[in-house]
Amino acid sequence: MKDDGFRFEEADDERTCGDGLVPDCKKAEASKSLPVLEYLAEFKALIDACGQVSYFYNMKKFVGAGVNKAKSIASAYQHDLKYYEDQLAEWRVKAERSFAILSLHAGCFNYGMPKKKAFLNALALYKERRVAYKGYLSTCLKHGRTLSPDELEMKYQKRLKRRSEKAGN
């Protein structure tokens, strides 16, 4: 091989000097944060599934009631009432599955989970709660930490309280 002046080793980095490859130091750091990422990802998946449950529940209800806007949306996509019923059932199962998986991940952090039906209904019924939880989770992701479902709800309730106090002034 011809020496053209380029070197493969960095003289100032001891990891590249020697005969063998040095393992990437970031791999150890990534393995520590893996449970955090899994927990946050599953929580986000649960929130998304509850949002889909909300959408398909409302579309099923409004298409069945003959609401013009819902009927026009359904006809634009060539969907009927049966489609919305099937999608609602599918997304309910996905939400319950995500809750079960989230419960397993929460166990790694010794977090208690709220009652399944009440928690899923709260997420499905209130879009503002879903948006707030997603915001809290994205902040957690940036900082590499987690919050329990109870802590998320406390933060959300504080937000509502501050908002009502502002409106009262």
Side-chain angles (χ1 to χ4, degrees):
M1 193 163 149
K2 184 175 131 185
D3 184 18
D4 55 3
F6 293 105
R7 294 180 51 178
F8 291 105
E9 294 90 15
E10 295 287 331
D12 61 345
D13 190 356
E14 67 275 356
R15 295 179 303 165
T16 59
C17 297
D19 295 332
L21 297 175
V22 177
D24 191 1
C25 62
K26 292 186 179 183
K27 285 185 181 177
E29 185 179 305
S31 67
K32 290 178 187 174
S33 66
L34 189 61
V36 172
L37 293 176
E38 288 175 343
Y39 175 80
L40 295 175
E42 197 58 47
F43 215 129
K44 185 181 178 306
L46 174 66
I47 292 168
D48 291 340
C50 288
Q52 292 295 319
V53 167
S54 176
Y55 172 76
F56 287 111
Y57 174 80
N58 287 323
M59 285 301 289
K60 176 189 155 206
K61 184 171 76 173
F62 294 141
V63 167
V67 175
N68 286 335
K69 186 173 183 176
K71 284 183 359 185
S72 67
I73 291 170
S75 67
Y77 291 103
Q78 300 174 349
H79 294 155
D80 58 356
L81 183 61
K82 175 87 170 103
Y83 170 80
Y84 292 109
E85 289 171 349
D86 292 344
Q87 288 297 311
L88 176 60
E90 185 177 323
W91 281 104
R92 278 183 174 156
V93 169
K94 288 179 181 179
E96 289 177 3
R97 179 183 168 275
S98 286
F99 183 86
I101 294 170
L102 180 65
S103 297
L104 292 174
H105 291 304
C108 295
F109 299 105
N110 294 322
Y111 293 156
M113 291 297 289
K115 295 189 185 285
K116 180 170 77 169
K117 186 173 182 174
F119 187 65
L120 293 177
N121 284 340
L123 283 175
L125 290 175
Y126 303 106
K127 180 178 181 178
E128 185 178 339
R129 179 176 271 121
R130 292 191 304 267
V131 170
Y133 278 22
K134 274 189 172 180
Y136 301 145
L137 292 176
S138 68
T139 302
C140 287
L141 182 63
K142 289 177 187 172
H143 297 295
R145 56 184 292 254
T146 62
L147 290 173
S148 71
D150 292 335
E151 291 170 321
L152 286 171
E153 184 61 25
M154 284 187 342
K155 288 173 86 61
Y156 178 67
Q157 292 301 325
K158 282 182 187 177
R159 174 188 244 182
L160 293 178
K161 184 177 178 185
R162 283 192 308 266
R163 185 176 298 158
S164 68
E165 287 172 354
K166 269 186 182 178
N169 289 337

